[in-house]
Amino acid sequence: MTGAPDFAVEVYQNEYLSAGATEVNAIITVTASGAGTPAAAPAPAGTAAEVIIVDTSGSMHVPRTKLSSAKQATAAAVDTLRDGVAFAVVAGTDEARLIYPYRHGLAVASPQTRAEAKQAVTKLSANGGTAIGKWLRLADSLFETQPSSMRHAILLTDGQNMHETPRQLTRTIEAVTGHFVCDARGVGTDWEVKELRQIADALLGTVDIVAEPEGLEADFRDMAASAMNKAVADVSLRLWTPQGATIKFVKQVEPTLSDLTGRRTERPPRSGDYPTGSWGSETRDYHVCVQVPAAATGEKMLAGRVSLVMPGPDGAETVVGKGNILAVWTDDTALSTRINREVAHYTGQAELADVIQEGLEARKAGDVGTATAKLGRAVQLATETGHSDTAKLLAKVVDVEDAKTGTVRLKRKVATVDEMTLDTRSSKTMRVRKKSNDSPES
């Protein structure tokens, strides 16, 4: 690894408020650069760990290509691990079973251990049910056997969590939250989007559908490669607010939507940390909304201070980026009514995700009116924001009569894979297009 990346923090907002207004919105753009690592470079001991969790329940036999593709995908992910990375492979049914290494713990990646792991994977067979919480708990216990700063899991399933109650799964997710990052994938169409989204959101990972088993290998390889490119873990977004101000919400809004509001850890006085997970060379955007006391025209205040905090040795921490959120009250309506383009862009994308998910839920429930209205609004928003990929997915669920007004009709027959793809990818966002003269407003 090349060490920690260089971080830059930029704040985009319209700081002008009308008299009596109390809500301040800002988009925080965090860019990490200089974290590239040669693919062949070994990982220093204790820096990275990977657990690959493969569903081997009975349904993985149907079709037969599902299990064989999962084996190939797992082997591809194992091959992607750099020398020195601690790793394990877990088979998941209504129990969780360690496939490799052969004793509880993590192996250290090398040509020999990668070959042994791939050989163990070839012997996987499909049988039994599905208890995803048990898979996560085993992964957690494996990570605990070695002190690795960057812990990442890949989780694949093809079915619903039939052998645990929703409450049991939720308790497990809560128990392992903050311990590792998890990217979740569903293959086929018999799994539940909400279940995997719940896991990915809590564990700061991604969720997606792999419609055909043949797509697993490339997806696993990409997830493992992305994990190998991370250079620093447990980075936090720290927000300070003045007396009388409160944080209304904090959301990651790009590359995917994730509400971090409830993940706050208090850092007195008047500060709180929000987890952002592991970083390589990349850019992410966050939407922060601060509620401030109303003030008179002409008043100014620092509504919030943003710091990016990175853990250091011996419990020390380093602030690697800063930015200010401002509030200025004015009677100039031209200033106070101007919506910052970054804020407007991501507010629209958050609404787009909400109405897609609400529309699909209404459609499942047989509420045609609500489903039509919500999905029509989704078409309108996708058109306005230039989200062409989402517009194409929506067109498989509704017949679009007028995209600009959101006038649509529900299709009578919709392929399950199209509906699940739209649902799963509704939380993926598109970065706001920067103009050549764009600059942070504070």
Side-chain angles (χ1 to χ4, degrees), residues 200-214:
D201 284 353
L203 303 185
L204 301 177
T206 61
V207 60
D208 204 354
I209 183 173
V210 183
E212 298 297 334
E214 292 76 14

Side-chain angles (χ1 to χ4, degrees), residues 24-249:
V24 183
N25 287 276
I27 298 299
I28 315 299
T29 296
V30 179
T31 301
S33 57
T37 304
T47 58
E50 184 80 23
V51 175
I52 304 167
I53 307 169
V54 185
D55 187 338
T56 56
S57 62
S59 58
M60 287 292 287
H61 265 316
V62 184
R64 290 187 177 276
T65 55
K66 199 185 290 183
L67 184 60
S68 61
S69 294
K71 291 179 182 180
Q72 292 171 6
T74 303
V78 169
D79 273 335
T80 306
L81 303 178
R82 294 198 313 278
D83 285 353
V85 172
F87 77 102
V89 180
V90 170
T93 59
D94 46 310
E95 298 293 338
R97 183 165 58 96
L98 180 62
I99 298 301
Y100 187 83
Y102 305 118
R103 294 182 180 179
H104 189 81
L106 299 170
V108 177
S110 68
Q112 179 180 341
T113 57
R114 283 193 291 267
E116 290 172 352
K118 289 188 291 182
Q119 179 60 31
V121 168
T122 64
K123 299 176 183 179
L124 290 175
S125 59
N127 187 39
T130 305
I132 297 175
K134 291 182 179 180
W135 311 353
L136 294 172
R137 285 192 181 274
L138 178 54
D140 191 43
S141 71
L142 292 170
F143 282 125
E144 287 298 321
T145 63
Q146 290 196 27
S148 300
S149 57
M150 282 169 288
R151 300 173 172 185
H152 178 260
I154 294 172
L155 186 152
L156 172 72
T157 187
D158 78 326
Q160 300 177 27
N161 198 42
M162 300 297 292
H163 287 76
E164 291 176 321
T165 66
R167 188 173 181 178
Q168 286 176 314
L169 179 59
T170 296
R171 281 201 298 259
T172 296
I173 293 170
E174 290 172 350
V176 304
T177 292
H179 297 183
F180 59 94
V181 173
C182 182
D183 289 323
R185 294 294 183 266
V187 59
T189 59
D190 292 329
W191 53 283
E192 182 61 53
V193 175
K194 279 187 175 181
E195 287 177 350
L196 293 199
R197 180 176 284 133
Q198 181 187 7
I199 293 167
D201 284 353
L203 303 185
L204 301 177
T206 61
V207 60
D208 204 354
I209 183 173
V210 183
E212 298 297 334
E214 292 76 14
L216 286 173
E217 183 174 346
D219 198 31
F220 268 47
R221 187 182 291 109
D222 288 346
M223 285 188 286
S226 177
M228 293 302 96
N229 287 331
K230 301 301 183 186
V232 62
D234 300 325
V235 178
S236 296
L237 195 69
R238 179 167 296 172
L239 293 179
W240 171 91
T241 49
Q243 191 72 35
T246 57
I247 300 294
K248 189 172 181 181
F249 63 76

Side-chain angles (χ1 to χ4, degrees), residues 8-11 13 28 237-240 302 304-308 319 321-326 442:
V9 175
E10 299 170 293
V11 180
Q13 67 165 133
I28 315 299
L237 195 69
R238 179 167 296 172
L239 293 179
W240 171 91
L302 178 62
R305 183 181 296 117
V306 182
S307 301
L308 202 68
V319 176
K322 290 183 177 181
N324 293 329
I325 302 173
L326 307 176
S442 61

Side-chain angles (χ1 to χ4, degrees), residues 294-305:
T297 298
E299 293 290 322
K300 300 179 181 180
M301 74 175 292
L302 178 62
R305 183 181 296 117

